Amino acid sequence: MAKQDIPKAYEAKEYEDAIYTAWEKSGFFNPDNLPGERTESFSIVLPPPNVTGTLHMGHAVMLAIEDIMTRFNRMRWRKALWVPGTDHAAIATQTKVEKLLMAQGMKDPRQELGREEFLKRVEAFASESHDTIVNQAKKMGASLDWSREAYTLDEARNRAVNTVFKMMYDDGLIYRGDRLVNWCPRCKSTLADDEVEYREHKSKFYYFKYGPVVIGTARPETKFLDKIIIVHPQDDRYKDLVGKEFEVEWIEGPVMAKMVADEAADREMGSGAMTITPAHSFVDFDLAKKYGFDVVQIIGEDGKFTAAAGSFAGKNAHEAREEIVEKLTTKGLVDHIDEEYVHNLSVCYRCGEAVEPLPKRQWFIDVNKAFAFKGAELANMKKGDMVTLKQLMQTVVREGQIEIIPDRFNKTYFHWIDNLRDWNISRQIWFGHRVPVWYRGEEITVGTLPEGDGWEQDPDTLDTWFSSGLWTFSTLGWPDQIDDLKTFHPTTVLETGYDILFFWVARMILMTTYTLGQIPFEKVYLHGLVRDEQGRKMSKSLGNIIDPLDMIAEYGADATRLSLTIGSTPGNDSKLSEAKVAGYRNFTNKLWNISRFVFMQVEEIHHVAESEIVPKTLADHWILSHFCRLQVDVTNHLEAYEFSQAGEKLRDFTWGKFADWYLEVAKVQKDESTDSILLFILERLLAYWHPFMPFVTEELWKQIDPETMLIVHEWPVVSQSFYHSESERWFEKVQGVIVAIRNIRSEYGLTLKQKVDVVLVGAIPDDLSKLVELFAGVRKLTKANKKPVGEFASVIVRDIEVLVSLEGIIDQEAERAKLSVQYEETVAYIKRLEGKLANEAFTSKAPEQVVADMRQNLEEAQKKAQTLTQQLTSG
Ligand SMILES: [Zn+2]
């Protein structure tokens, strides 16, 4: 389009979809299609969103940050790969579909539909949800390589899952055992330890007479078969009873009880004695294993009593609690009841139901068993060394092979691993990777379906984190083909929310170090939660959810991205409001208008090489000096994953320097050389902004070079020869003078039309007098060596005395008061500088330029103080 056709305002929704389509068509999201020789690679996997619904602000912030990383590295001439995918999220998706089916009138969808038909419904839901998610990611501008898209439950990932399962099984790391599991009676499935949440809960706490002791419990319904009393070995109260058996009266009649001494007992708690319930308490289960006590299940998977509960068999355990207490009351066995007992109740993180620990035959991964290390790429480890999974997970972070940003999360990571128990990987749900184990009578086959008839596959499925734990390498073709794996693995960085450090990040480290003997990623960048402007979590019940799609429709994707990245730092929660997004829409418009101005201003739009730049004026030197500084800062910040700092510096330069000052200067010094500088800076500025605001920059790029796309432009480097500290200093002085005159004008309530006469006492270059005249509403500017006679409002800017003639309207008393405030401030400033310069520890370490600048500042301040003294004494 001809340059005069550029619209005055940028309407994001008129451009964004077309630009995204053009990027997709270009093929540049796929690193195999990128132009030029690229030796280094950059790779990152998208944390796969669950196919349970739509994207929220948490996803939007993740997409924004990862897209910045990917676009920056693509422009840095690396083979940049960002792998997309979605997660089947087994239990979450199945639960969601079950709820939907029940809302439509089914009572028990699994029973009514059967495995095959039920799974079809879940898959249909998952597929629809997938399409929505992909569409939303595109709206955000995410430059994901869709040709490599993966799904945690597709065939390729299934081969990876089955292969790893078999490897671990053969190494003796996967075993089947009867263990206590966290059971959710509503989801009818086991939960991993970290899928259990704790909720403060008030209930009754009961004290019962149990033979010679009093025992306390919140759950009398589990106590039917209690017959072991544990006391502390040093508890003198019971030393005569330890090791003895005796009869006690109990719920279903007399039982033979035995007293055992173990340090697990707490002497300070109640009577210091407790009975144990191995089948329904993790602590008691461990004790039972230690001493070989029976483990008998009293509550079943349906939450009802088993036959072991005698006359209560078949009743709902929770509901029968009061009935049991009544029975014990009748027998005179209730000692007392604490009505105000507050404790942490374990609940299912999916549905909130109280978790029931119960014994179950499950598949586990042993995290403490030694096996022969397979790889050769981990610090302090050789192929064949005997290691445990726990050790692998600890070593790679401790040795710095994986760096967690921010590093305060290292502590939480190690703490979690120290407390890690064997990982229960089987789930009693249908949606997921089915456990790759087949049985025929006593025979068992692992990995692939064996030949011959009569084999029956294990009915359970695998924990969803088993497959997402393989994500960095299963998405790169392992185990089928490994070209991508060679180029892109280990991946460069993993970017995700700190809330899934354990759920996901730690399991990826476990799975990858085990399978490949490699780290999955070099860095982990953890972003925080996006909260509302008052700092509250966004939730349906609070009605404070901001939908990223609404923001994109209203303000554009670029504005939405900026509002999520500028001002947010790793590991910390951030606040978002619609006003913030609107503010960044204004900034997007500002960039559009800056570009539009440049395009209109210059004779001809074209690429400008660095060699064509000839700075002539102080303003030229000043802007170029700041621009080369900006390039270094922005590049360094982005390489260091400091996105907010990079964005802030870009914004300050673009608005505060380029637009507010240099474009104004350009209006005055209109010539070929200025045109070149405008174009030189704008072209590169658009490139630096591209990772943050890809749409508007790509659209503007069409004006500069309709033949190429900004997405594959090489990251510009600006010569450090433009660095010019003297000009920076001078120009800042002139800015100071202009600001000072403007302030005086506004203090005296002058309108734009009321021009003033100004006298500058001090040295100021000729070509900048003009700027002062233009920008400060000055009628006549005179330079003088000393203050002339007359009435002036005055301010001192560094070593320049600014005198604004206000004959007739100034208040002498007020002026003097202002002058003495200035004088006091200047004296304090001189003292600070003198103190610093006298400090040898400082002057010997600080860069020469800094010290030199400081000396000059001191000299100027001393002059200023002198002038002020004169003014104050002369009146
Ligand atoms: Zn549940």
Side-chain angles (χ1 to χ4, degrees):
M1 81 179 124
K3 62 182 201 183
Q4 57 268 33
D5 290 348
I6 308 167
K8 279 196 177 132
Y10 174 69
E11 284 295 336
K13 57 174 171 286
E14 285 173 27
Y15 301 98
E16 289 182 350
D17 287 348
I19 293 171
Y20 196 88
T21 308
W23 286 330
E24 275 199 288
K25 273 198 188 141
S26 75
F28 293 142
F29 292 168
N30 180 344
D32 300 338
N33 301 330
L34 289 174
E37 276 283 309
R38 288 164 196 246
T39 44
E40 275 180 81
S41 66
F42 167 86
S43 54
I44 176 170
V45 292
L46 173 76
N50 291 353
V51 288
T52 42
T54 54
L55 298 187
H56 51 67
M57 272 301 168
H59 296 110
V61 71
M62 156 184 107
L63 288 164
I65 293 174
E66 291 173 24
D67 197 45
I68 291 174
M69 292 179 182
T70 309
R71 285 180 188 270
F72 170 65
N73 280 285
R74 194 183 285 122
M75 294 175 86
R76 289 284 275 169
W77 227 242
R78 295 174 182 133
K79 276 182 222 163
L81 171 64
W82 186 16
V83 184
T86 44
D87 193 329
H88 68 286
I91 195 167
T93 312
Q94 169 158 333
T95 307
K96 179 130 192 175
V97 175
E98 264 177 320
K99 276 188 187 159
L100 288 172
L101 292 171
M102 278 152 79
Q104 288 162 21
M106 282 192 197
K107 281 229 165 62
D108 186 346
R110 275 188 269 175
Q111 178 115 51
E112 286 167 53
L113 295 169
R115 188 161 188 147
E116 206 175 313
E117 182 55 31
F118 178 79
L119 282 178
K120 268 191 200 157
R121 304 282 182 102
V122 182
E123 273 148 21
F125 172 85
S127 144
E128 199 175 302
S129 190
H130 160 267
D131 296 349
T132 312
I133 288 166
V134 167
N135 187 41
Q136 287 175 316
K138 290 181 177 181
K139 287 271 180 200
M140 278 292 291
S143 59
L144 287 152
D145 180 6
W146 297 106
S147 73
R148 284 177 167 87
E149 195 191 343
Y151 176 45
T152 53
L153 194 57
D154 62 17
E155 244 185 80
R157 263 43 66 179
N158 188 244
R159 272 195 296 286
V161 163
N162 291 353
T163 309
V164 171
F165 189 99
K166 175 148 173 54
M167 282 168 72
M168 286 188 154
Y169 182 84
D170 291 344
D171 273 335
L173 296 178
I174 285 185
Y175 67 93
R176 209 177 182 208
D178 288 316
R179 295 282 303 272
L180 276 209
V181 294
N182 303 296
W183 179 261
C184 172
R186 215 216 64 78
C187 296
K188 294 201 173 53
S189 180
T190 51
L191 301 170
D193 288 346
D194 42 18
E195 288 173 336
V196 176
E197 283 179 357
Y198 299 93
R199 201 169 286 164
E200 207 169 79
H201 182 76
K202 203 172 101 177
S203 68
K204 292 180 184 170
F205 196 83
Y206 307 87
Y207 291 90
F208 298 123
K209 292 175 188 142
Y210 186 87
V213 301
V214 172
I215 58 162
T217 180
R219 304 196 58 204
E221 68 273 18
T222 63
K223 309 302 264 180
F224 280 94
L225 297 184
D226 284 15
K227 51 187 179 185
I228 304 293
I229 307 166
I230 301 282
V231 295
H232 198 274
Q234 264 106 54
D235 195 334
D236 292 337
R237 287 173 288 184
Y238 304 112
K239 65 174 190 252
D240 296 337
L241 285 170
V242 169
K244 302 223 164 81
E245 275 191 271
F246 38 85
E247 196 180 86
V248 299
E249 181 58 27
W250 200 225
I251 308 168
E252 293 286 278
V255 293
M256 283 304 288
K258 187 181 176 184
M259 194 173 275
V260 174
D262 190 280
E263 278 163 6
D266 184 353
R267 274 180 286 181
E268 312 301 321
M269 260 275 279
S271 67
M274 62 181 194
T275 58
I276 64 164
T277 313
H280 301 285
S281 148
F282 286 96
V283 178
D284 296 358
F285 184 82
D286 289 343
L287 280 168
K289 270 193 10 188
K290 184 171 169 185
Y291 294 102
F293 304 143
D294 296 341
V295 178
V296 184
Q297 194 172 341
I298 294 153
I299 299 167
E301 290 169 18
D302 51 4
K304 291 179 181 160
F305 285 119
T306 64
S311 64
F312 287 86
K315 286 188 178 169
N316 179 293
H318 283 291
E319 289 162 20
R321 180 180 295 173
E322 281 307 313
E323 214 180 312
I324 293 161
V325 175
E326 250 179 65
K327 193 163 179 186
L328 288 164
T329 309
T330 321
K331 292 183 174 209
L333 295 178
V334 176
D335 190 77
H336 67 286
I337 299 171
D338 175 359
E339 305 272 348
E340 300 291 313
Y341 177 64
V342 178
H343 66 126
N344 276 331
L345 182 69
S346 317
V347 296
C348 168
Y349 86 125
R350 292 290 184 205
C351 72
E353 181 82 13
V355 167
E356 183 66 65
L358 47 82
K360 211 165 161 50
R361 176 149 281 210
Q362 297 286 328
W363 291 99
F364 290 89
I365 291 179
D366 192 330
V367 293
N368 291 307
K369 181 173 176 161
F371 64 94
F373 179 59
K374 294 180 177 38
E377 289 185 28
L378 298 189
N380 297 342
M381 234 169 262
K382 311 186 294 294
K383 197 170 176 170
D385 279 358
M386 294 307 282
V387 288
T388 68
L389 292 172
K390 246 190 197 182
Q391 286 165 346
L392 283 181
M393 294 168 89
Q394 284 159 335
T395 307
V396 290
V397 176
R398 185 170 298 129
E399 298 295 322
Q401 278 191 291
I402 296 176
E403 183 198 346
I404 302 177
I405 306 171
D407 62 8
R408 66 170 189 271
F409 282 93
N410 279 347
K411 214 177 133 195
T412 1
Y413 175 83
F414 287 122
H415 180 77
W416 183 78
I417 295 178
D418 289 341
N419 293 294
L420 185 64
R421 293 188 295 182
D422 286 0
W423 175 12
N424 172 10
I425 50 168
S426 44
R427 296 288 178 275
Q428 288 66 53
I429 57 167
W430 288 346
F431 187 53
H433 291 280
R434 197 142 166 200
V435 172
V437 175
W438 286 262
Y439 311 96
R440 184 168 68 184
E442 292 296 297
E443 293 174 275
I444 178 165
T445 304
V446 175
T448 42
L449 174 66
E451 306 225 335
D453 294 332
W455 290 96
E456 188 103 26
Q457 188 169 4
D458 195 297
D460 288 354
T461 51
L462 289 170
D463 180 7
T464 192
W465 303 105
F466 191 102
S467 51
S468 42
L470 318 178
W471 197 238
T472 60
F473 60 95
S474 70
T475 53
L476 294 175
W478 190 90
D480 296 340
Q481 53 98 17
I482 53 164
D483 286 354
D484 270 4
L485 206 63
K486 278 186 199 143
T487 314
F488 297 112
H489 206 274
T491 58
T492 315
V493 58
L494 179 80
E495 194 280 340
T496 192
Y498 65 72
D499 49 336
I500 56 169
L501 180 62
F502 310 132
F503 275 126
W504 191 42
V505 179
R507 283 178 171 109
M508 288 171 99
I509 295 175
L510 182 156
M511 284 300 201
T512 316
T513 51
Y514 168 76
T515 311
L516 304 183
Q518 237 181 21
I519 50 170
F521 28 71
E522 288 153 10
K523 286 190 167 57
V524 179
Y525 179 102
L526 299 169
H527 67 248
L529 304 176
V530 183
R531 295 172 177 274
D532 76 0
E533 57 189 321
Q534 295 169 43
R536 300 173 304 177
K537 257 190 170 178
M538 290 191 190
S539 73
K540 266 190 197 148
S541 54
L542 286 173
N544 60 351
I545 290 179
I546 303 178
D547 183 334
L549 282 187
D550 292 347
M551 294 301 104
I552 292 170
E554 186 68 30
Y555 306 105
D558 291 332
T560 307
R561 293 164 62 116
L562 286 179
S563 69
L564 291 169
T565 47
I566 296 185
S568 76
T569 46
N572 295 321
D573 295 351
S574 57
K575 292 178 186 170
L576 184 73
S577 62
E578 184 163 350
K580 191 174 174 189
V581 188
Y584 281 107
R585 189 263 323 268
N586 297 346
F587 182 74
T588 314
N589 246 317
K590 182 80 185 175
L591 185 66
W592 180 265
N593 284 320
I594 289 168
S595 310
R596 187 170 178 273
F597 170 82
V598 172
F599 296 146
M600 308 285 270
Q601 172 87 1
V602 300
E603 281 297 315
E604 185 203 340
I605 304 171
H606 58 97
H607 286 292
V608 176
E610 202 168 275
S611 56
E612 296 170 52
I613 297 295
V614 187
K616 286 183 179 158
T617 65
L618 214 48
D620 295 347
H621 280 295
W622 169 75
I623 195 74
L624 287 164
S625 183
H626 275 289
F627 192 55
C628 75
R629 199 199 289 273
L630 175 80
Q631 182 256 309
V632 172
D633 286 351
V634 169
T635 311
N636 289 344
H637 282 312
L638 289 178
E639 289 286 1
Y641 298 88
E642 292 160 356
F643 308 108
S644 182
Q645 288 98 315
E648 280 161 33
K649 287 199 173 146
L650 276 168
R651 184 184 55 189
D652 293 345
F653 177 88
T654 307
W655 199 317
K657 295 194 169 67
F658 193 51
D660 282 355
W661 291 96
Y662 195 73
L663 295 194
E664 295 303 318
V665 171
K667 286 175 186 166
V668 189
Q669 58 172 52
K670 197 171 163 15
D671 61 11
E672 210 178 302
S673 154
T674 312
D675 281 7
S676 299
I677 293 172
L678 288 173
L679 286 169
F680 176 80
I681 291 178
L682 180 66
E683 170 177 344
R684 285 155 185 79
L685 200 54
L686 292 178
Y688 300 147
W689 271 121
H690 181 73
F692 289 89
M693 340 163 60
F695 289 107
V696 69
T697 51
E698 189 73 77
E699 184 59 32
L700 288 165
W701 185 256
K702 290 177 187 164
Q703 298 289 331
I704 294 174
D705 186 351
E707 304 297 312
T708 66
M709 285 180 128
L710 186 54
I711 186 176
V712 285
H713 193 66
E714 189 166 3
W715 189 255
V717 174
V718 178
S719 162
Q720 292 306 292
S721 68
F722 288 127
Y723 183 65
H724 207 270
S725 71
E726 203 195 321
S727 299
E728 285 189 18
R729 206 181 159 76
W730 266 112
F731 196 83
E732 271 142 33
K733 232 188 253 190
V734 173
Q735 286 177 310
V737 170
I738 293 168
V739 170
I741 299 171
R742 285 178 181 167
N743 287 346
I744 290 172
R745 293 180 56 96
S746 78
E747 233 170 275
Y748 288 95
L750 299 184
T751 64
L752 282 173
K753 282 185 186 159
Q754 286 176 282
K755 303 278 181 194
V756 289
D757 291 342
V758 172
V759 181
L760 298 180
V761 183
I764 184 161
D766 282 335
D767 65 335
L768 289 171
S769 308
K770 250 193 196 161
L771 295 174
V772 176
E773 280 179 20
L774 188 76
F775 294 141
V778 174
R779 180 172 49 209
K780 191 171 135 228
L781 183 88
T782 327
K783 291 198 274 181
N785 290 326
K786 62 189 264 276
K787 185 181 173 185
V789 185
E791 282 191 352
F792 297 101
S794 71
V795 169
I796 295 173
V797 177
R798 296 193 184 222
D799 57 353
I800 299 171
E801 191 178 2
V802 182
L803 302 164
V804 178
S805 165
L806 292 162
E807 296 282 340
I809 48 168
I810 67 165
D811 173 345
Q812 289 289 353
E813 273 308 299
E815 273 315 293
R816 287 183 65 80
K818 263 184 261 167
L819 285 178
S820 49
V821 170
Q822 266 200 66
Y823 177 74
E824 274 158 32
E825 283 170 359
T826 311
V827 170
Y829 179 57
I830 289 171
K831 275 195 187 142
R832 273 207 307 279
L833 286 180
E834 281 174 342
K836 273 203 171 168
L837 287 167
N839 181 355
E840 191 140 348
F842 170 74
T843 50
S844 61
K845 275 191 201 129
E848 230 169 90
Q849 187 62 44
V850 171
V851 177
D853 279 349
M854 211 175 265
R855 286 194 205 284
Q856 207 169 340
N857 288 343
L858 178 61
E859 215 172 287
E860 286 172 4
Q862 281 160 341
K863 259 189 214 161
K864 179 172 174 175
Q866 225 173 357
T867 317
L868 285 166
T869 315
Q870 281 165 11
Q871 288 180 339
L872 283 164
T873 50
S874 75

